Each structure stands twice: as structure tokens, then as C-alpha cells.
Amino acid sequence: MNRSSDPPRRRSTSAPAADSLAFALLAAAEVIGQVIGGSSLNDALARCWHARGELPPATRAAIQDLSYGSLRDYGRGDFLLQRLMHKPVPELRVRALLLAALHRLAARPRDAHTTVDQAVAAARGIAGGAFAGLVNAVLRNSLRQGAALEPAEQDEQAFWRHPRWWIERLRAAYPQDWAAILAAGNGHPPMALRVNRRKITRQAYLARLQELGIDARPLPQADALLLAQPLPVARLPGFAEGLVSVQDPGAQQAAAWLDLADGQRVLDACAAPGGKTCHMLESAEVDLLALDTDAGRAQRIHDNLTRLGLHARVAVADARAVERWWDGRPFERILADLPCSASGVVRRHPDIKWLRRSRDIPRFAQQQGEILAALWRVLAPGGKLLYATCSLFPEENGRNVADFAARRPDCLRLPLEGKPEIQLLPTDTHDGFFYALLQKRA
């Protein structure tokens, strides 16, 4: 490995200031290291916020941006470290710090000097500063080599920044679109809003945004607005009062496609955090039961209902254990928003593509089939069930639905916008979702 000729710097014994880039890099390295170790990004960030208490908003945003960006770029970053170093870094936090710094060097090339300087300062907070020289040498070496280091298209995992098995599945399923899907998965997600029609019209809310200088435009979905730039929810007028929610336009299709009407008995079978639950309640006066297996996630349903001024019964239960939560009265509408790989939303959850394994896909498909069979028992004759996932893999979507319908003489597949099913691929306005509408024959 090439070593920097710069003179050695005196080690600092103090921690980086909370408003410094070094502090953000060090905190992001802890988050990234936890994800590499198997933790979800949400959990790792939650631990970060808990451990550090109140942080300056800019610092918190920087930690989050570095964590998300580094994990989106993980395939490339890991590739670069293999080329820059003769042997693996013995300290996981140092490796994670290098990943964060390499990401920032690519994202903000004009700030290269600052990034290197602050990464070295951050390294002094790890293992008594023993790896500060290593971090300095690796990053300066990456700047010297520049474009010569970058992966070629033949190095698929590094070039496309997705696992090889993931790339192969998408290429097989979408021979014309796989490259665009991967590129979308590496980008920043759009921020869309769902206007609460019970409290304000979409046009009136759009006018309120314009008065504040917030650029937004209507989308084809009845309640959807797309922001030109993401912003904190605290800046959204009336958010705390329930005028609006943040929800992807693709997810907003569910309430419309369920064909809801006042007075119906409705089940949201895998409901947390409650976005679709609340949208259904905003759309019609229905008697709704929301289920989720996790008590913590179910609390988020309660929180959303309270903020929006809506009411539903919420139960913590596994949808497959029908006898534990069903009162014997059938449902006229069921939303089966099923557990899946979440392959359609990886730009929002970049840890997913690195934590998932190829063997997880058939496991998800089996679980979905079990839940679907259980829900079919509680669907009223003539009732409709909307099968939904945020997955792009056919094993979790069309194949699962086709297999189920073929085994059930009482299952009728209804068209959605003239199609037997709809697979939304991620675009600059929405994430990737799958929908199929089933009806139980009377």
C-alpha cells in the first residue's frame, strides 16, 4: 500500500465537536458497522440517536445522509477497499469509516481535502487513534488513482451496487428494464404526500404549500402531491394537525383499487405503520380492523390514527392464526399487504439489498401463501382481497397469486386498469409495488 508523505499529525485526545464532519463520519461509521454486522439500518440509527441524545439538526442530517449513501454505494465501496488495501481492516469501525469517506469523496469531489482531513480526525476517535495514518493513506491513495480505481461493468456487484444474485433475478424477470431498475435503486427516493381529504382538498393544500414557497405538483392518484425537493415533515403546513401524510404514490393505489364503500367491514392484515390503513379510512366510512404481529409497530398505527383524527380497531396478531383474532364475521374487503423482500423500495432502505439472501425469497413466498390462505377463510362471498407487496421478484408476486388462484375454484381474478395484475417498477415519482385483485365467488 502506498503511504502518504505528509508529516505525521499530533493525535488529539478530545472527541470531535458535535457540529463537525468528523463527528458525523464517526457516528455514521458506527451505524454502517452495525448494518454490516447484520442490524437493520433503522435499528442502528435508532441506537445512534439514543446514545447521542439531542444533536444539531445539520449533524443529524449528515449522519443519516452518510449512512444511507454509504450503504447505497456499498458494492462500489467494498470493491474500492479491496483494491486499495493489501489485507482487510482489522477494526470494523475503521472499515465502515473508510466506506463513509469514500462515498463522500464521490458525492462531493470538490470537498475532497475536507473529507480526508475530517475522516482522519474521526479515526483518532477509534482505538486510540491507531488507525488514523491508515485512513489518511487509503483516502489519499484513492484520490491519486482517481477514475482508474472505478469498477468496470464486468464487475457487476461493484458497478451496479447490488448483490450478484439480486442482479441475476432482476435480469431474468425484466430483460428490458433491469438496468433502469438497478439505477433507480441507487438513487434518492422522491417525497410524495397524501392529502387527508376529510380535512382539506388537494388543491387547497397545494395552495398552502405555494404560499410557503414549497414547490409541489399533483400526481394522477387522487390525493397525491409530489414535492420537488424532500423536506422535514415539521415544515409541512398542518402535518401535526393531520392535514397531510407522507406516502409513496404507488402505495396510495391500494385504497383506490380495493373498491371501498361506506359501511363495509374491512381488514388490513399486515397494517403497520398504518399508511394504507389511514388512507382507507380517509376514503370511506368503513369498519376497519388493522393487524400486525409486532406490538411496537402496531403502536405506530395508533399514532398515525391519532394524528389524522381517525378510528380503527388495532390488534397485535399473526394473520395466519385466525382463531386468535377473528370474531366470526366475514370481511367484505381485505388488504393483504404481505411481508416480502422489499426489493421495490431499496432506495429508501439500502441495507435491505445487503442483508437479504437469495434463499429468503422462497421463504417469503411460502409465508405469503400461508397468510393468503388464512385470509381467504375470513373473506365474505362476493368480497374482494387486494394482494399487495413492495417487491419486484415474481416468486413473491404474480407466481404466488397464480398458484393460489389455480388451487381455489372460488377464486376469481379481477382486472386492475384492464390488466390481470400490475407490477409498478420504481421511477422518479414512485417506488416498486405489485397488486392483484381477487374476489371470492358468491
Side-chain angles (χ1 to χ4, degrees):
M1 176 186 297
N2 293 325
R3 294 289 179 182
S4 170
S5 59
D6 292 354
R9 298 191 179 187
R10 193 174 179 182
R11 289 182 185 173
S12 170
T13 57
S14 60
D19 60 351
S20 67
L21 175 58
F23 182 95
L25 283 164
L26 188 58
E30 292 181 11
V31 171
I32 296 162
Q34 289 177 37
V35 174
I36 293 173
S39 174
S40 76
L41 178 54
N42 284 344
D43 288 346
L45 282 171
R47 286 189 286 269
C48 176
W49 308 144
H50 179 75
R52 286 167 176 79
E54 197 69 28
L55 290 172
T59 300
R60 187 180 175 112
I63 294 169
Q64 187 160 303
D65 185 63
L66 286 165
S67 301
Y68 274 79
S70 302
L71 290 167
R72 287 192 187 103
D73 286 351
Y74 179 79
R76 171 185 175 271
D78 186 59
F79 172 87
L80 294 182
L81 286 183
Q82 290 180 43
R83 299 193 66 183
L84 287 164
M85 304 186 68
H86 296 306
K87 57 184 179 179
V89 186
E91 167 68 59
L92 179 57
R93 282 185 300 166
V94 175
R95 179 175 176 234
L97 173 62
L98 285 168
L99 289 170
L102 288 169
H103 161 71
R104 195 175 193 275
L105 286 174
R108 304 182 67 168
R110 292 184 179 180
D111 294 343
H113 175 77
T114 299
T115 299
V116 174
D117 180 74
Q118 291 294 289
V120 173
R124 295 192 184 104
I126 302 174
F131 299 100
L134 173 67
V135 169
N136 182 62
V138 170
L139 295 180
R140 292 186 182 279
N141 191 13
S142 75
L143 292 175
R144 282 194 293 272
Q145 295 196 49
L149 272 178
E150 292 296 328
E153 194 167 351
Q154 292 84 352
D155 298 296
E156 288 194 325
Q157 180 163 301
F159 184 84
W160 292 109
R161 295 174 244 175
H162 284 71
R164 290 184 183 85
W165 69 265
W166 193 297
I167 297 169
E168 291 167 2
R169 280 181 180 272
L170 289 180
R171 186 158 42 210
Y174 307 100
Q176 305 301 318
D177 301 306
W178 66 273
I181 294 170
L182 293 170
N186 291 328
H188 289 264
M191 184 173 179
L193 308 178
R194 186 191 77 240
V195 177
N196 184 353
R197 65 176 75 173
R198 290 190 178 276
K199 295 192 173 186
I200 191 171
T201 66
R202 179 168 70 169
Q203 194 59 37
Y205 191 80
L206 181 59
R208 292 189 62 171
L209 292 176
Q210 291 170 343
E211 289 171 2
L212 295 173
I214 300 173
D215 188 12
R217 63 181 174 88
L219 293 174
Q221 294 81 8
D223 304 310
L225 294 171
L226 182 68
L227 298 180
Q229 296 292 333
L231 49 79
V233 294
R235 289 190 55 201
L236 295 174
F239 179 83
E241 293 76 28
L243 297 189
V244 69
S245 299
V246 177
Q247 188 180 36
D248 187 87
Q252 292 186 42
Q253 296 285 23
W257 285 338
L258 253 179
D259 187 26
L260 298 167
D262 291 350
Q264 288 175 338
R265 182 169 160 81
V266 178
L267 171 65
D268 190 349
C270 306
K276 296 183 181 72
T277 296
C278 293
H279 195 196
M280 288 189 283
L281 292 167
E282 291 169 1
S283 303
E285 294 280 0
V286 296
D287 175 15
L288 192 146
L289 171 63
L291 296 181
D292 201 85
T293 58
D294 184 87
R297 285 171 53 81
Q299 182 58 47
R300 296 180 63 189
I301 305 174
H302 283 293
D303 295 343
N304 280 312
L305 289 168
T306 299
R307 182 179 64 84
L308 294 165
L310 301 168
H311 174 73
R313 289 170 294 129
V314 179
V316 178
D318 187 328
R320 292 171 291 186
V322 171
E323 65 284 350
R324 297 184 183 178
W325 55 265
W326 187 41
D327 63 5
R329 294 184 295 153
F331 295 91
E332 293 157 288
R333 296 290 184 271
I334 296 178
L335 174 60
D337 190 6
L338 299 169
C340 67
S341 63
S343 49
V345 295
V346 291
R347 58 188 173 188
R348 297 187 191 277
H349 306 283
D351 53 320
I352 286 174
K353 58 186 176 182
W354 305 111
L355 295 177
R356 294 276 186 260
R357 298 292 181 266
S358 182
R359 61 181 178 271
D360 294 333
I361 309 307
R363 180 174 58 82
F364 277 121
Q366 179 179 348
Q367 183 182 16
Q368 292 159 350
E370 292 169 356
I371 295 173
L372 184 54
L375 297 180
W376 201 251
R377 292 170 51 193
V378 305
L379 182 64
K384 297 177 182 178
L385 180 150
L386 185 66
Y387 182 107
T389 76
C390 55
S391 172
L392 302 174
F393 299 137
E395 297 95 320
E396 300 176 285
N397 296 336
R399 293 181 194 171
N400 231 355
V401 172
D403 290 346
F404 179 82
R407 297 194 305 269
R408 302 277 176 167
D410 60 346
C411 180
L412 176 66
R413 299 188 65 175
L414 300 179
L416 290 172
E417 297 188 354
K419 302 174 183 177
E421 59 193 40
I422 289 184
Q423 176 71 71
L424 298 174
L425 302 181
T427 69
D428 57 356
T429 60
H430 62 73
D431 289 334
F433 292 90
F434 175 85
Y435 292 101
L437 187 60
L438 308 178
Q439 184 174 38
K440 181 180 281 190
R441 297 180 190 272

